[in-house]
Amino acid sequence: MLVYWNCYQVLDAKADPRAWPLLTTANQQLTDQAAKLTNQSLWHSFLENVRAHQSIRHAYRAGALPRP
């Protein structure tokens, strides 16, 4: 996920149109991995305590919002 995050940042900084699809793929893979975790505490830790995971989720949510 860290590689996805770093690639997204570079593409986004250059306004490359591949940034959003890459972020979408990263978010989907992250969501799929988290769905396999049955322990609630582990699930929360996986999504919220890993910096790259936090960043991907935050950027995806922010990108899904309508831009002014």
Side-chain angles (χ1 to χ4, degrees), residues 25-59:
T25 298
N27 186 67
Q28 185 61 55
Q29 287 190 10
L30 187 59
T31 302
D32 291 347
Q33 288 177 4
K36 295 175 185 174
L37 300 173
T38 57
N39 180 299
Q40 185 69 21
S41 178
L42 185 57
W43 177 85
H44 179 75
S45 181
F46 177 77
L47 292 175
E48 299 300 329
N49 294 340
V50 179
R51 175 73 104 202
H53 298 178
Q54 279 181 338
S55 299
I56 289 168
R57 294 180 74 219
H58 176 75

Side-chain angles (χ1 to χ4, degrees), residues 2-13:
L2 184 56
V3 172
Y4 272 119
W5 178 243
N6 289 336
C7 289
Y8 167 74
Q9 288 182 297
V10 169
L11 292 172
D12 189 53

